[in-house]
Amino acid sequence: MVDRVKVGWRVPSDEWDAFIDYVYTEHGETSGYVGREVELAMREWIDADAFAPIEALADRLVRAAGRTPANLSQKKSAVDPPTRNDTTTVQCRVDPDVKERFAHYAKTETDDRTGTVLARALRERRDGGRARRVREKLERVADDAEDLLAELNPDEDGLGVRERRTVAICNRLGEQFSRDDLEDAIGAVAGSSDPTVQDYTDRVLERRGCVPHPNNSDLFVPESTAQEIACDNDIPGPDAPAHDRRSYGSLSREEKVRGLCVELARQALSNNGRSQADAATVRQDIFDGQPSEGHTRDLMDLAADADGFTTTSRHGAERLRVDLRRATDDLLATAKAARDDDGADVPASGRDRHDGQQDGADGGESDASSGVQPGSSRDVDTEMDALMNATPVADGGVEGGVDS
């Protein structure tokens, strides 16, 4: 029998305490189980356990179904590096070969101390480890398997033509892919007309769980990868509205209108539920002077078709107005999220009032350019800049673009 050796690496104390709690919860005691669980965590981390091939098979099934394996790699687990004043030395014993292989992995595959890598492995183990990842991946393809089996039964409705083509297109793509790669795959399977490309682009991205790369709208990556990139670079993530993520030139007409509505609604949240802006304010402050005057008025007219929005003329100038009491819940939620992202401490809109009345004596409206609640530290210019904060695309895309 091989003599087991002490681990001897230092890990953050809070991570070690949490792992001990996990061991106790799993086994009802810690004696005799801590070393076993630490070794299992190490084996899983370096893919040296008996179930690593099973996860590889699960990944094959997920890809065969045209999906992207969930980004659940243990290499992504976030654990702060241990500090001198808040660490614990792991004293339990493990197989010497496992310890040696784990230390080699940490040294050659990471830039972190071995104790930091071990802390990540411990966290992954107590969060479910490989068993959780395999289960979640298989759950993603279970419905597809049922549909495929149903297709063999003539008495049941199976996958339609579009669904089968979508899977075929997905199977031609890697885990991340460019817009050109996607359009080539769509053309090879379904056709290259503009409506077909748009239809299958939406279907493929939904099936694969992919979104545009935060720094390049022509590259698609798994959503969790995009979220990590956005978080690491302190930029808007995939959940942010398009007008916050993309340069003006890459926005469609619909996205410009949506951005205009969201920005005006965001300002209304700090102005008793109402706000308005003239064409000059929309063009210069919201769209940073990018659209022409005529295109700006077109965007305002289109925005006026949304619930809660209207256009009026005042002193010879057309103005776009919003009343949040009549706006959709979806727009209100997006505007509130945008406001919260700014960290602004502003009062709720009139929609939150139970009596259906607006706060304030006369229920008047103010220009979007004023947009600051008295006493608020909110910087409207900063918020306007943030709306159209252009992120350069990797292929050198044009910042201004052509009015569409």
Side-chain angles (χ1 to χ4, degrees):
M1 180 176 180
V2 179
D3 291 335
R4 298 168 70 83
V5 296
K6 280 188 178 181
V7 175
W9 299 320
R10 302 187 68 83
V11 301
S13 296
D14 56 348
E15 287 295 328
W16 183 246
D17 292 342
F19 190 75
I20 294 298
D21 290 342
Y22 159 78
V23 174
Y24 183 82
T25 300
E26 288 293 306
H27 301 285
E29 59 179 314
T30 57
S31 178
Y33 291 101
V34 174
R36 181 192 305 178
E37 288 289 344
V38 169
E39 183 175 319
L40 286 172
M42 295 167 68
R43 287 181 180 275
E44 284 192 7
W45 192 262
I46 61 175
D47 293 330
D49 62 306
F51 296 99
I54 295 177
E55 184 167 19
L57 289 173
D59 287 345
R60 286 179 58 189
L61 286 173
V62 172
R63 291 190 181 96
R67 300 189 183 275
T68 300
N71 193 3
L72 300 171
S73 170
Q74 63 269 37
K75 315 298 188 291
K76 300 289 185 180
S77 297
V79 175
D80 294 331
T83 61
R84 293 181 180 178
N85 299 326
D86 190 22
T87 60
T88 298
T89 301
V90 178
Q91 298 285 4
C92 64
R93 295 178 179 271
V94 298
D95 182 279
D97 181 61
V98 174
K99 179 182 177 181
E100 181 181 351
R101 293 173 64 183
F102 189 89
H104 177 75
Y105 173 91
K107 181 179 180 180
T108 59
E109 301 294 331
T110 77
D111 296 324
D112 296 313
R113 296 178 180 177
T114 308
T116 301
V117 182
L118 176 59
R120 293 181 180 137
L122 298 179
R123 173 176 289 190
E124 184 68 19
R125 178 67 182 174
R126 65 183 175 85
D127 283 347
R130 196 181 302 281
R132 172 183 58 83
R133 296 198 305 273
V134 171
R135 182 182 67 252
E136 292 185 358
K137 289 173 181 178
L138 292 179
E139 285 174 349
R140 299 186 72 196
V141 297
D143 291 341
D144 295 321
E146 291 173 354
D147 287 339
L148 289 168
L149 291 173
E151 186 181 12
L152 300 176
N153 186 343
D155 296 328
E156 300 288 343
D157 292 332
L159 291 176
V161 174
R162 283 190 173 88
E163 286 76 11
R164 291 196 295 272
R165 287 177 176 172
T166 301
V167 171
I169 294 167
C170 290
N171 286 335
R172 290 172 173 260
L173 302 170
E175 289 194 16
Q176 65 178 34
F177 46 89
S178 69
R179 189 177 298 276
D180 287 342
D181 292 337
L182 175 57
E183 292 182 0
D184 287 346
I186 293 172
V189 173
S192 56
S193 69
D194 288 344
T196 298
V197 169
Q198 183 58 58
D199 180 31
Y200 282 99
T201 293
D202 295 340
R203 290 173 178 274
V204 169
L205 294 181
E206 180 179 0
R207 187 173 190 84
R208 292 293 295 272
C210 287
V211 296
H213 189 289
N215 290 327
N216 183 0
S217 60
D218 288 324
L219 177 66
F220 299 103
V221 298
E223 184 173 1
S224 53
T225 299
Q227 290 172 337
E228 290 170 4
I229 294 171
C231 182
D232 290 344
N233 293 277
D234 194 25
I235 56 179
D239 293 335
H243 60 276
D244 277 338
R245 292 185 277 109
R246 308 236 303 276
S247 64
Y248 176 85
S250 68
L251 297 174
S252 67
R253 181 186 295 262
E254 180 180 5
E255 289 168 336
K256 295 172 189 175
V257 173
R258 176 68 173 179
L260 173 56
C261 291
V262 169
E263 177 59 17
L264 209 61
R266 175 163 58 177
Q267 294 175 26
L269 289 171
S270 63
N271 193 53
N272 300 327
R274 293 182 179 181
S275 187
Q276 63 179 340
D278 58 21
T281 298
V282 171
R283 180 171 182 267
Q284 293 297 331
D285 292 348
I286 294 182
F287 291 117
D288 198 25
Q290 300 275 9
S292 66
E293 293 183 4
H295 189 54
T296 300
R297 288 191 291 271
D298 289 342
L299 295 176
M300 292 171 63
D301 290 340
L302 290 170
D305 291 334
D307 291 344
F309 289 81
T310 56
T311 54
T312 60
S313 294
R314 183 178 179 185
H315 305 305
E318 185 180 25
R319 294 171 179 265
L320 177 65
R321 295 181 176 181
V322 62
D323 184 343
L324 294 184
R325 293 176 301 176
R326 300 180 179 87
T328 63
D329 291 338
D330 173 64
L331 177 69
L332 187 60
T334 304
K336 286 182 177 179
R339 177 199 64 182
D340 294 342
D341 286 343
D342 288 338
D345 183 14
V346 295
S349 73
R351 170 180 283 223
D352 295 327
R353 292 278 304 269
H354 293 294
D355 57 7
Q357 299 297 319
Q358 297 290 338
D359 293 330
D362 58 5
E365 301 167 352
S366 67
D367 289 347
S369 56
S370 62
V372 178
Q373 187 74 1
S376 169
S377 61
R378 193 177 185 191
D379 186 339
V380 174
D381 290 336
T382 299
E383 293 179 4
M384 293 289 194
D385 291 341
L387 174 69
M388 295 307 302
N389 183 20
T391 301
V393 296
D395 63 357
V398 180
E399 285 293 319
V402 180
D403 291 342
S404 58

